[in-house]
Amino acid sequence: MLLVSALQTLVVPVVANIQADLGVSTSAASWVVTANLLAAAVFTPMLGRLGDLYGRRPVMLGVLTVVLLGSVLAATTSSLPLLLAGRVAQAASFGLFPLAIGMLREELDPKRLTGAMALVSGMLSVGAGFGLVVTGLLMRHGGDYHRLFWLATALTAIGMAGVWLLPRRAGAATGSLDWTGAALLGLGLVLLILPLEEGNGWGWGSARVLGSLAGAVVVLTAFVLFERRTTHPLISTRMLTHRPLVVANATGLFLGFSMFAVFLSVSALVQTPHDIAGYGFGASMLAASLVYLLPGTAGGVISAPLGGRLVVRFGAKSTLVVAAAVAGAGFAMLTVLHSATWEIIVGALMVNTGVTFGYAALPALLIAHVDPAETGIANSVNSISRSIGMSLGTAFVVTMVTRNPIPGPVPLPHESQFVAVFVTGAILAAIAAVMVGLALPRARRPELTVPEVEADEVLGAAGLASR
């Protein structure tokens, strides 16, 4: 999961470096991010379903092989089309999350499962920050961006070695892959995510944006109607209408938005020169990564198992409410306090902690409401929700910090534009907390006692007190 999440963020800070090195336009270079997200929208549900049908281990090995080849291609090319091909291949990594959750459900007994899922899912938040921090380290003093793809190659090779040791089980589902449904869903998601990624350049009221969004509505509606009539649907209609699953996916969208919104806004704010804009710290990319973002990333090593303990002791619903409240408090703090280094660090840490708690709780909520044969596809849909949230967070921050800039040789955003980002995050957190609190049914208290949690091989390894 560190690999999955790091691959999403490794490239984000170096788009400008790629543009300069390849001699292409800004919009062309931005496709190294956009192509990855679009391909992930197509691959993720298919790979999750293939894992349900044919077993997790062989599909995971196949995914990692594709990611390895894509990483090597990206690390060795100086051609934009070949780089985009490598990024498309790397997008298969998004399918590893639902496959990993399905693997845990098959192999672990119920008393260990919740904590294990929380740790694995929490690594998504840790990995995202890890990617940004490593980028800052490797790109200091104008380093070569190809190093990032060689790092991805090494991480993938380690992942393959680990997956090779996992047990092989037969698929939990029957039937075949719904290719028509997969094509409709993939096309609909591409039409939805593409304008979110390109809207700032195209213009949010442009025909391309509005046409793509309208097309997404039509295609996704056709997908739902088709799935109702097919014998072995890619996604059952119950999964699209059952309230706990709908809430889980809406919460995943909020968490994805929050994670990328805080990463991008904090990074941009602290790199703004104070003597020109009247705010900011004039930090370098390396300082932004190590000083302001690393604490939140490192904190995930603690907050991921702690989130697992919260899920085990109080249930997914209560943990999600706490997650939204903590993230909202972090955004609220950043709204009013962002003039000192410690204020930025603490606010970002709170948001990241909330996101990690939420990631820890979502798999437990999902598997409580789906059959084992639907584990992979249910987590795939939730992964897509988080990806859409990341796209929304990216698009929102980029739009806010580039509109109506301060006049000067280097356009800079007004301080109020960052405040608007933080206020929006706080409002969305409040909405998420209320939605989870009111829409989810009251969960039964878990049967695990405090001594059992502390003795658990997964959660106990963190050495944390549960009180």
Side-chain angles (χ1 to χ4, degrees), residues 201-220:
W202 291 353
W204 291 105
S206 68
R208 282 190 287 183
V209 168
L210 297 179
S212 294
L213 293 176
V217 172
V218 172
V219 174
L220 291 176

Side-chain angles (χ1 to χ4, degrees), residues 66-77 86 90 146 149-150 152-154:
V66 172
V67 174
L68 181 67
L69 294 174
S71 299
V72 171
L73 176 60
T76 56
T77 186
Q90 286 183 327
H146 290 91
F149 295 115
W150 284 121
T153 301

Side-chain angles (χ1 to χ4, degrees), residues 37-47 182-183 185-187 189-190 193 384:
L37 288 173
L38 295 181
V42 177
F43 291 155
T44 302
M46 295 175 60
L47 293 171
L185 179 60
L187 176 59
L189 291 172
V190 166
I193 294 176
I384 293 171

Side-chain angles (χ1 to χ4, degrees), residues 260-285 287-289 291-293 330-348 397-398 400-402 406 411-423:
F260 266 51
V262 75
F263 281 152
L264 297 177
S265 60
V266 166
S267 180
L269 187 151
V270 301
Q271 292 182 68
T272 302
H274 187 279
D275 54 345
I276 298 177
Y279 70 94
F281 303 89
S284 64
M285 181 190 296
S289 299
V291 176
Y292 297 93
L293 296 177
F331 277 122
M333 178 178 176
L334 290 171
T335 299
V336 296
L337 299 174
H338 49 260
S339 59
T341 296
W342 73 267
E343 295 168 351
I344 300 291
I345 293 174
V346 172
V397 172
V398 170
M400 290 303 299
V401 302
T402 55
I406 299 173
L412 295 171
H414 294 274
E415 183 179 8
S416 60
Q417 291 164 261
F418 288 106
V419 171
V421 172
F422 300 143
V423 169

Side-chain angles (χ1 to χ4, degrees), residues 144-169:
D144 183 1
Y145 72 86
H146 290 91
R147 299 176 184 175
L148 303 175
F149 295 115
W150 284 121
L151 174 64
T153 301
L155 289 174
T156 306
I158 295 171
M160 290 184 70
V163 171
W164 187 263
L165 300 176
L166 294 175
R168 180 169 185 170
R169 308 287 184 212

Side-chain angles (χ1 to χ4, degrees), residues 47 75 87 106 148 155 157 222 229 231 276 299 309 329 332 448 453:
L47 293 171
R87 289 291 288 162
E106 288 178 342
L148 303 175
L155 289 174
R229 291 168 173 78
T231 305
I276 298 177
R309 286 170 175 261
L448 228 55
V453 173

